[in-house]
Amino acid sequence: MGLFSFLIIIVLFFIYKNYKKQEKLYLQTMTKNFEALYKNNAYLLKERSNIIYDSFINKEKIIKIVVKASKIKDIKSKEFKKLREELYKKLYNEYNYMKNYGLQELHFHLPDYTSFIRFYRPEKYGDSLKGVRKSLELVHEFKKPVSCFEIGRVVHGFRNVYPLFYNGELVGMVDVAYHANSIISGIERALPVYIEFIIDSNLIKKKLFEDEQKLYTKSHIFEDFFIDKDVKTFSKEAQIIKEEIQNIDKNKFKIVEKNFKNGKNFSINLKIKDKDYLISFICVKDCEGKTEAYFVIYKPDKIFGYLRYNFIIVLLTTTFLLTLVFSILYVYFWKQIEYREKLKKISETDTLTGIANRRAFIEKIKYEAKISQRFGYPLSVILFDIDNFKKVNDIYGHDTGDYVLKEVVKIISGQLRRTDFFARWGGEEFMIILKNTDLKDAIKLAERLRKVIENYKFEKVSYITISLGVAKLKSDEDIDSFFKRLDELLYKAKRKGKNRVEFE
């Protein structure tokens, strides 16, 4: 009897543990899904900003105005005022047009961080944003565009800040900013959710002009955060959810305070008016990676009810014998899964080098090519092989040849990002898939890899070199054509003397 009771307790414990694990896994999965949605929408805003910058801003007639303004010391002068009016008139129509597509702010800055003109608040200018807008300092220092969320003097925004050059000299900066609504609208229109945008109250008080703070109100749920009054709802479902949660007890959210301090994405399950809600908190970080705000996503979710129902049914219907059988099958089932996964891993791994093999590479490139061509993301591939590798085998033997292959893989792997996919194509040939990477950046990486190998001293063979071909997938290109181009580029590098990078 004692053993029977003990087994029942053990079985019930594992059933409960499994229930909590499923709940936790679901929360983690939904958190990742919403995080991906946020990042995708932020990326689309960045692409939209690039179009605005290239089409309207990065023009000589615009930049010349900024150049003239940067040379005027008296910002109250008539000449300075005239230049502001001239720039405003030149871009007014474009700014108003792009506001229909979510553009919030177009803000020009002088090289000393002085605000030249805010299209959102043209009457407010001349203040220095040094120490307030880190994005400007980064653009000023590195002379490259920066994209991040940031709170300024007048508005917060998802900003894309660009350097302005004239004759190779930095003459100013401009940021193209979008309101949180631009991200919220895309998600609320696609899913039955309501989204709040909450911002750290201390940052609002510290950064915004005092008269601009009236556009924010203290959250009735999250005491340390403000809510932007301009945030809207974009679907009937969102409005219904908003009304349902209006009188929620803020004490229910005490459990999230610790997570706020960690500044990480997370999700919880709460019952509101006897209805299960998935509430996801997606952090919004500034240019330094500090969390400044959160998207709080409320989603009525029946999954939690299903999980609880299943849990109760199992508890009520399980007997000792059924539980025992279930436990045996459960263990056997997972062993089979592990075995199949192990076999799959073996079938997709190059036994010598430990990286992906040709089969795994082909599956991966087909998938990435499909994603790239569907969503317009850049996809580049590097094909390289080891120069004169046959001589290494002939002179030093196959053991040394194997050593060289493994060492090359080790060196190259150390230079790649976690998102890059490295595979052995066959023999001494290797492939590298570079997601979200333009040809220019792929060429830079290829050249770096070539130099790293060239300067590395191998045992016995001393120094070796590699030849590389680099290509970017075209929007209408099939995989076979893409491979053919890569092969031609590699052989071109060989014909031109090896130890070089060839690209189109």
Side-chain angles (χ1 to χ4, degrees):
M1 185 67 181
L3 179 60
F4 175 80
S5 300
F6 176 74
L7 290 174
I8 286 290
I9 292 172
I10 293 296
V11 169
L12 293 180
F13 169 77
F14 278 106
I15 292 173
Y16 176 75
K17 187 177 180 180
N18 186 56
Y19 157 65
K20 298 304 292 183
K21 180 181 177 181
Q22 288 178 332
E23 184 179 61
K24 181 180 179 181
L25 180 61
Y26 179 68
L27 289 171
Q28 291 174 342
T29 300
M30 294 306 297
T31 300
K32 289 179 180 179
N33 288 345
F34 282 125
E35 179 185 1
L37 275 174
Y38 158 57
K39 288 183 176 180
N40 182 63
N41 278 273
Y43 175 81
L44 293 175
L45 292 182
K46 179 181 176 182
E47 291 296 293
R48 198 181 298 173
S49 298
N50 290 340
I51 294 171
I52 294 174
Y53 173 74
D54 291 333
S55 301
F56 308 127
I57 299 173
N58 193 25
K59 305 295 181 183
E60 186 174 356
K61 64 180 181 179
I62 300 297
I63 296 176
K64 276 187 175 181
I65 298 174
V66 181
V67 172
K68 291 177 183 178
S70 66
K71 296 177 180 178
I72 299 174
K73 294 183 178 180
D74 184 6
I75 63 173
K76 299 297 182 182
S77 67
K78 290 182 179 180
E79 186 180 359
F80 193 82
K81 180 181 178 182
K82 184 178 179 182
L83 289 170
R84 292 181 72 252
E85 290 174 350
E86 183 182 354
L87 181 59
Y88 189 74
K89 287 178 181 178
K90 285 187 180 296
L91 291 176
Y92 177 78
N93 290 334
E94 288 82 356
Y95 173 67
N96 267 351
Y97 175 74
M98 291 310 299
K99 281 171 66 177
N100 297 324
Y101 297 93
L103 179 65
Q104 180 184 35
E105 173 68 301
L106 198 57
H107 191 178
F108 285 82
H109 315 266
L110 301 181
D112 63 353
Y113 304 101
T114 298
S115 171
F116 180 45
I117 183 168
R118 294 177 171 96
F119 277 69
Y120 181 70
R121 291 277 196 274
E123 72 278 6
K124 293 185 177 181
Y125 71 98
D127 52 300
S128 175
L129 290 161
K130 188 170 185 179
V132 178
R133 294 277 309 281
K134 184 66 178 178
S135 61
L136 297 176
E137 296 176 23
L138 292 172
V139 171
H140 194 284
E141 180 180 358
F142 296 106
K143 310 295 188 293
K144 293 181 179 180
V146 169
S147 299
C148 66
F149 174 82
E150 200 168 39
I151 300 171
R153 290 292 193 194
V154 174
V155 292
H156 68 266
F158 293 85
R159 304 179 186 273
N160 298 278
V161 188
Y162 303 88
L164 298 175
F165 295 103
Y166 189 73
N167 292 334
E169 180 182 351
L170 181 73
V171 295
M173 294 158 283
V174 61
D175 72 83
V176 182
Y178 286 86
H179 191 272
N181 280 330
S182 296
I183 290 178
I184 292 172
S185 61
I187 300 175
E188 284 190 350
R189 285 170 176 149
L191 298 171
V193 299
Y194 163 64
I195 303 176
E196 284 184 334
F197 188 63
I198 59 174
I199 308 172
D200 189 321
S201 58
N202 292 324
L203 295 174
I204 294 292
K205 295 174 183 177
K206 178 182 177 182
K207 292 189 175 185
L208 282 174
F209 287 134
E210 189 173 348
D211 60 332
E212 298 293 345
Q213 294 180 22
K214 64 186 178 182
L215 298 175
Y216 298 81
T217 183
K218 190 174 182 180
S219 170
H220 72 285
I221 300 176
F222 310 107
E223 295 181 352
D224 296 330
F225 291 86
F226 280 173
I227 295 176
D228 184 351
K229 294 179 182 178
D230 287 339
V231 170
K232 304 174 183 178
T233 55
F234 295 89
S235 68
K236 289 182 180 179
E237 291 89 347
Q239 186 59 38
I240 292 170
I241 297 169
K242 181 180 180 181
E243 293 170 1
E244 285 185 349
I245 67 170
Q246 281 304 302
N247 299 317
I248 189 173
D249 182 3
K250 67 179 182 180
N251 290 321
K252 290 186 175 182
F253 285 89
K254 290 291 184 182
I255 58 175
V256 307
E257 291 180 359
K258 183 179 179 181
N259 298 81
F260 278 148
K261 293 177 182 178
N262 293 334
K264 296 181 179 180
N265 301 322
F266 63 96
S267 295
I268 61 171
N269 165 229
L270 280 183
K271 269 191 173 293
I272 302 175
K273 293 183 178 180
D274 296 324
K275 183 186 290 187
D276 275 306
Y277 269 84
L278 168 75
I279 307 175
S280 296
F281 298 79
I282 306 302
C283 60
V284 179
K285 298 181 182 293
D286 63 11
C287 299
E288 298 178 288
K290 298 176 183 176
T291 299
E292 293 198 345
Y294 281 91
F295 285 108
V296 185
I297 306 172
Y298 298 85
K299 179 180 180 293
D301 202 318
K302 296 180 180 180
I303 293 296
F304 299 105
Y306 294 149
L307 290 174
R308 279 195 299 273
Y309 176 79
N310 290 337
F311 170 64
I312 292 170
I313 291 297
V314 170
L315 285 178
L316 294 177
T317 59
T318 299
T319 63
F320 171 74
L321 290 177
L322 290 178
T323 302
L324 183 60
V325 171
F326 174 80
S327 298
I328 294 171
L329 292 175
Y330 183 82
V331 172
Y332 175 78
F333 174 73
W334 281 108
K335 288 292 184 182
Q336 289 298 310
I337 290 180
E338 289 176 358
Y339 179 70
R340 285 195 294 270
E341 288 177 346
K342 187 175 181 180
L343 288 178
K344 187 175 185 295
K345 186 175 180 180
I346 291 172
S347 69
E348 295 180 345
T349 302
D350 178 61
T351 55
L352 177 64
T353 61
I355 61 174
N357 61 17
R358 187 186 188 103
R359 173 185 174 184
F361 177 86
I362 291 173
E363 288 185 8
K364 183 69 173 176
I365 192 64
K366 286 181 178 178
Y367 172 79
E368 294 299 343
K370 184 178 180 181
I371 296 297
S372 171
Q373 292 173 336
R374 171 180 283 186
F375 297 104
Y377 299 155
L379 178 68
S380 299
V381 172
I382 297 173
L383 169 63
F384 74 89
D385 79 349
I386 302 170
D387 296 330
N388 304 313
F389 184 73
K390 185 176 184 301
K391 289 184 179 180
V392 173
N393 278 332
D394 292 342
I395 296 172
Y396 301 99
H398 287 283
D399 287 344
T400 300
D402 289 349
Y403 155 75
V404 169
L405 288 171
K406 289 188 284 187
E407 201 68 5
V408 166
V409 167
K410 179 181 176 182
I411 296 166
I412 297 296
S413 296
Q415 299 293 319
L416 301 179
R417 305 169 300 183
R418 285 189 296 177
T419 55
D420 298 332
F421 189 83
F422 188 21
R424 186 179 180 189
W425 186 240
E428 66 272 25
E429 288 188 341
F430 298 86
M431 290 273 207
I432 305 171
I433 299 175
L434 306 171
K435 296 194 296 184
N436 290 323
T437 303
D438 285 321
L439 181 61
K440 181 179 178 182
D441 291 330
I443 293 167
K444 287 181 181 178
L445 173 62
E447 187 60 30
R448 189 169 80 240
L449 298 179
R450 184 193 67 76
K451 289 179 180 178
V452 169
I453 295 298
E454 181 184 34
N455 295 323
Y456 186 82
K457 188 173 183 179
F458 293 78
E459 294 179 9
K460 293 186 180 181
V461 298
S462 190
Y463 294 100
I464 65 169
T465 61
I466 58 174
S467 297
L468 308 93
V470 187
K472 178 183 174 183
L473 180 69
K474 299 176 182 177
S475 60
D476 57 349
E477 187 175 26
D478 59 49
I479 295 300
D480 291 336
S481 299
F482 189 36
F483 285 170
K484 185 177 180 181
R485 280 203 297 130
L486 282 166
D487 276 330
E488 289 171 355
L489 289 168
L490 178 59
Y491 289 129
K492 185 177 179 182
K494 292 290 188 181
R495 288 195 303 270
K496 285 188 174 183
K498 304 177 181 177
N499 190 25
R500 61 185 291 116
V501 177
E502 286 295 331
F503 55 91
E504 291 185 344

